[in-house]
Amino acid sequence: MDDIIHLLPDSVANQIAAGEVVQRPASIIKELVENSLDAGAQDIQVLVTDGGRTCVQVIDDGKGMSETDARMAFERHATSKILNATDLFALTTMGFRGEALASIAAVAQVELKTRRPGDEIGTHVLISGSKVELQEPVACPVGSNFAVRNLFFNVPARRKFLKSNQTELSNVVADFERIVLTHPDTTFTLYNNGVQIHRLPETSIRQRINDVFGGKVGTGLIHTEVETSLVKISGYVGKPESARKRGLHQFFFVNGRYMRHPYFHSAVMHSYENLIPAGEHVSYFIYFTVDPSAIDVNVHPTKTEIKFDNEQAIWQVLAAAVKEALGKYSGVPSIDFDNQDKPYIPTPLYGEDRRNIPPPPSLTTDYNPFGVQPRPVTSPHVPDDWQSLYVELDTLPETNHQASIWQDEETTDAVDVNVPHFQYKGRFIVFPVTEGIMLVDQRRAHICVLYEQYMDNLFQQQGVSQGLLFPEVVEFTKQESITLEDIMSDLEYIGFELTNLGGGSYSLAGIPSSIEGVNPITLLHDLVYSAAETGSVKNRLHQSIALTMARAVAFVYGQVLSDDEIRILLQQLFSLPAHKYTPDGKLVYTVISHDETENLFK
């Protein structure tokens, strides 16, 4: 029999490697910018077109390459950063595998212009799909200029799976920010379609954080630093009062390299035990400096998962460092009722200067915090004879709506929402049905109703907005701004009126009429965060927006509802085509059958 094992051609091997190294335009920027940093660049410019789908260009003022090196750089495993296997245990550079440029050239059209400081003329190289098409002398400045065009032009299947321009740009910005946070001594610039997104001059780490994410993030941070024989830890952690559930900035860096490390994340959050509410987190920017021989960065293609020799000991050091920083910060944090991350609580002292007015010393003995006036259901009035509106539905063809607990249409009529009902523990609505006793989760029921209303607004492209007497300015990071621009029209359909002021600032002139008691700025940030997690598929994006809005506006547990509110809520719930589960799959109601009730007393 003939031999069946053979070597793959370099062009095929390079494309296989590209699957690990080049996943999207952001991967190219990461690899090229890291090469620029290894080359000693002090000024790095990143230019992307159409979110990087059309072109990614990285220009630096590093040491450049010779004519031979410019050609050799695109060969597999060609690198200047290590010489033998022992060098892998003492890495001081960002790159070391020698696969990045070969992988990029295998799936794109790459143009390189480079010159060393001592050379009078540089080198121009043109490569397309691993094939060298041109190499000639050229006049160019010192450093390197990489232009990567038409990513995946020769791999249509992979190009098809690239996301929208806005989504790809968001990923580019995210990777760019991770790099610039580790090198505050280098100047970085980022452009998209000729528009400047970031201009970051040489500065300190604290100022770099402010430049990237805005001064508001920086003011909520505490400095922490500790040095032991095992590790040096420095950086910033969030103040307890800055804790939030979503949209946080959490970064670990080791020896100038970004990494993900859930184990060390648990050390940080352990330090905040009993200081922040359950389920909330804080931002942090923590830098580790360790002996290169004590870590292994060669365990994952993206080099973001790093193994430490003494993880448990470093965990203890990190937890102690964060606790010490919190102890120094302090005592009792000031109470600020204007904090956007806290729920709005109306008080008699309403106004801009209320925080400066001490509360009156007198007590209101008959005040009941649970006896506030209930918020009306945000929906049109439902007439008492609402059943007649659905008589003609019996003639419609059957649909694939989610089945309810009843077996046929006749038993559905057995649900009479006008029967006596009551609230149990401010959470459940209890009333009798034909099968037994029904328990309805009032918040989840309201989420279902509101979700359908917001989905209708998005589908019909209309919503009711309530103008603000004094517009508020809302700040977003660069990455958040990209997502916000992508969903701006959708936000208008549900009632938000936003105007871009530039620099990540937006003027909020109108809010949805149904969000009484909800902080609109916090809600906007939640909507942007949810949209970023969901992606750019329009239908899924609408579902995410509608669900986020519904969760924010729905009745809270403990809220007392009037009989009319309960009746209207149940009418609206059971008029929905699918009402047994919330959009995210949680049970809305259940029935305790007569048999189950009787068995309890046997």
Side-chain angles (χ1 to χ4, degrees):
M1 296 180 64
D2 295 336
D3 296 332
I4 61 173
I5 298 177
H6 57 276
L7 292 173
L8 290 174
D10 287 344
S11 58
V12 177
N14 286 340
Q15 287 197 23
I16 294 173
E20 297 289 336
V21 178
V22 185
Q23 299 173 354
R24 57 194 339 145
S27 306
I28 296 175
I29 288 175
K30 174 183 178 295
E31 298 294 344
L32 295 183
V33 172
E34 287 181 351
N35 282 345
S36 296
L37 292 169
D38 288 339
Q42 293 299 308
D43 190 335
I44 301 174
Q45 300 179 54
V46 179
L47 303 90
V48 297
T49 304
D50 299 331
R53 293 162 59 96
T54 301
C55 181
V56 171
Q57 189 172 8
V58 176
I59 305 171
D60 67 59
D61 60 352
K63 59 186 179 183
M65 289 179 278
S66 67
E67 180 180 357
T68 302
D69 287 344
R71 173 64 186 86
M72 281 292 297
F74 292 95
E75 296 293 336
R76 288 194 71 199
H77 307 304
T79 180
S80 62
K81 299 166 186 178
I82 62 173
L83 295 176
N84 50 58
T86 57
D87 292 340
L88 289 172
F89 303 101
L91 292 171
T92 57
T93 57
M94 300 297 290
F96 55 88
R97 294 194 183 114
E99 285 188 326
L101 293 182
S103 299
I104 293 170
V107 292
Q109 297 166 336
V110 183
E111 181 180 13
L112 167 63
K113 294 180 181 179
T114 181
R115 180 168 74 88
R116 296 181 300 183
D119 296 338
E120 294 183 358
I121 197 165
T123 301
H124 181 203
V125 179
L126 214 66
I127 298 180
S128 179
S130 295
K131 181 180 178 181
V132 179
E133 297 184 345
L134 174 70
Q135 181 169 0
E136 63 180 5
V138 68
C140 62
V142 171
S144 298
N145 181 343
F146 282 92
V148 181
R149 298 183 176 88
N150 302 321
L151 180 61
F152 300 134
F153 78 99
N154 56 348
V155 193
R158 292 191 63 188
R159 185 172 180 84
K160 182 178 67 174
F161 284 99
L162 289 178
K163 305 300 182 182
S164 67
N165 293 349
Q166 292 290 344
T167 301
E168 294 301 340
L169 178 60
S170 178
N171 284 288
V172 165
V173 173
D175 275 21
F176 179 84
E177 289 173 350
R178 291 169 183 168
I179 294 173
V180 302
L181 288 172
T182 60
H183 297 83
D185 55 344
T186 303
T187 299
F188 292 90
T189 312
L190 174 63
Y191 295 89
N192 178 55
N193 294 336
V195 178
Q196 181 176 296
I197 296 178
H198 275 301
R199 172 63 181 173
L200 305 170
E202 178 183 351
T203 184
S204 64
I205 290 178
R206 180 71 176 251
Q207 187 58 46
R208 178 57 59 87
I209 294 173
N210 290 343
D211 292 343
V212 173
F213 299 112
K216 190 170 184 179
V217 173
T219 56
L221 298 176
I222 312 167
H223 179 66
T224 180
E225 186 168 5
V226 64
E227 184 170 1
T228 69
S229 58
L230 184 63
V231 61
K232 177 182 178 182
I233 298 175
S234 63
Y236 300 89
V237 295
K239 298 176 181 177
E241 59 265 33
S242 68
R244 290 187 295 171
K245 290 185 177 180
R246 318 177 74 176
L248 298 163
H249 308 292
Q250 299 177 331
F251 296 90
F252 284 125
F253 306 97
V254 56
N255 293 355
R257 187 189 305 275
Y258 168 77
M259 70 170 178
R260 297 187 183 94
H261 211 297
Y263 185 54
F264 289 165
H265 170 77
S266 68
V268 176
M269 299 318 301
H270 175 75
S271 303
Y272 285 86
E273 191 174 8
N274 300 326
L275 293 178
I276 61 176
E280 295 194 357
H281 299 267
V282 295
S283 296
Y284 54 75
F285 305 82
I286 298 178
Y287 299 78
F288 296 85
T289 302
V290 300
D291 185 345
S293 64
I295 59 175
D296 184 1
V297 301
N298 195 26
V299 296
H300 193 274
T302 61
K303 308 168 192 170
T304 56
E305 296 180 9
I306 298 176
K307 182 173 179 56
F308 289 72
D309 285 347
N310 299 288
E311 287 189 345
Q312 291 185 347
I314 294 177
W315 192 99
Q316 297 290 344
V317 174
L318 175 59
V322 175
K323 286 182 179 179
E324 181 183 11
L326 291 173
K328 289 181 178 178
Y329 162 67
S330 201
V332 180
S334 61
I335 299 176
D336 183 0
F337 290 105
D338 281 338
N339 191 316
Q340 71 169 16
D341 297 322
K342 305 301 177 186
Y344 168 69
I345 303 175
T347 65
L349 300 174
Y350 187 80
E352 292 185 356
D353 297 328
R354 66 184 181 276
R355 71 174 67 184
N356 297 323
I357 303 176
S362 60
L363 299 176
T364 304
T365 57
D366 59 345
Y367 173 68
N368 180 5
F370 300 101
V372 296
Q373 291 298 321
R375 187 166 66 244
V377 178
T378 56
S379 64
H381 173 68
V382 179
D384 293 336
D385 59 342
W386 64 273
Q387 293 92 339
S388 63
L389 301 175
Y390 299 91
V391 173
E392 297 181 358
L393 291 181
D394 292 338
T395 62
L396 296 177
E398 293 185 2
T399 64
N400 291 325
H401 289 152
Q402 187 173 359
S404 68
I405 62 171
W406 297 281
Q407 300 301 317
D408 54 55
E409 294 179 358
E410 292 182 359
T411 55
T412 303
D413 295 334
V415 179
D416 182 3
V417 299
N418 293 313
V419 299
H421 49 250
F422 67 93
Q423 269 185 296
Y424 176 66
K425 289 188 174 293
R427 172 168 183 171
F428 301 104
I429 299 171
V430 185
F431 63 98
V433 292
T434 304
E435 294 87 350
I437 300 173
M438 178 174 285
L439 285 82
V440 180
D441 187 302
Q442 69 181 39
R443 174 171 170 80
R444 294 179 183 178
H446 201 198
I447 286 175
C448 288
V449 172
L450 293 172
Y451 174 81
E452 291 297 330
Q453 293 176 5
Y454 288 123
M455 285 297 289
D456 286 343
N457 288 344
L458 291 168
F459 178 75
Q460 298 173 9
Q461 299 186 356
Q462 61 182 11
V464 180
S465 179
Q466 175 181 340
L468 297 177
L469 184 60
F470 299 104
E472 297 188 46
V473 177
V474 190
E475 300 288 341
F476 293 93
T477 65
K478 296 297 190 299
Q479 189 176 355
E480 291 172 337
S481 297
I482 294 168
T483 304
L484 178 60
E485 290 294 331
D486 203 25
I487 64 171
M488 185 75 83
S489 60
D490 296 323
L491 294 180
E492 291 177 0
Y493 300 151
I494 58 177
F496 284 101
E497 294 181 11
L498 288 166
T499 303
N500 191 345
L501 303 178
S505 298
Y506 290 78
S507 173
L508 178 62
I511 60 176
S513 58
S514 59
I515 64 170
E516 179 186 354
V518 178
N519 189 317
I521 296 178
T522 301
L523 179 55
L524 269 175
H525 281 284
D526 286 344
L527 287 166
V528 170
Y529 184 82
S530 296
E533 283 189 326
T534 302
S536 58
V537 179
K538 210 61 179 176
N539 187 42
R540 291 182 59 196
L541 200 57
H542 285 175
Q543 292 171 357
S544 174
I545 291 173
L547 182 57
T548 302
M549 286 291 298
R551 285 172 173 167
V553 180
F555 296 137
V556 296
Y557 292 129
Q559 182 168 344
V560 178
L561 303 181
S562 66
D563 287 344
D564 286 340
E565 285 181 316
I566 292 175
R567 178 174 53 81
I568 292 174
L569 176 62
L570 295 177
Q571 288 174 343
Q572 292 176 323
L573 174 67
F574 292 114
S575 67
L576 299 176
H579 47 245
K580 188 168 185 179
Y581 296 93
T582 62
D584 53 345
K586 295 181 179 178
L587 187 68
V588 175
Y589 60 82
T590 188
V591 172
I592 301 175
S593 68
H594 296 302
D595 292 339
E596 290 175 318
T597 305
E598 292 175 359
N599 288 334
L600 293 175
F601 293 91
K602 288 183 178 179

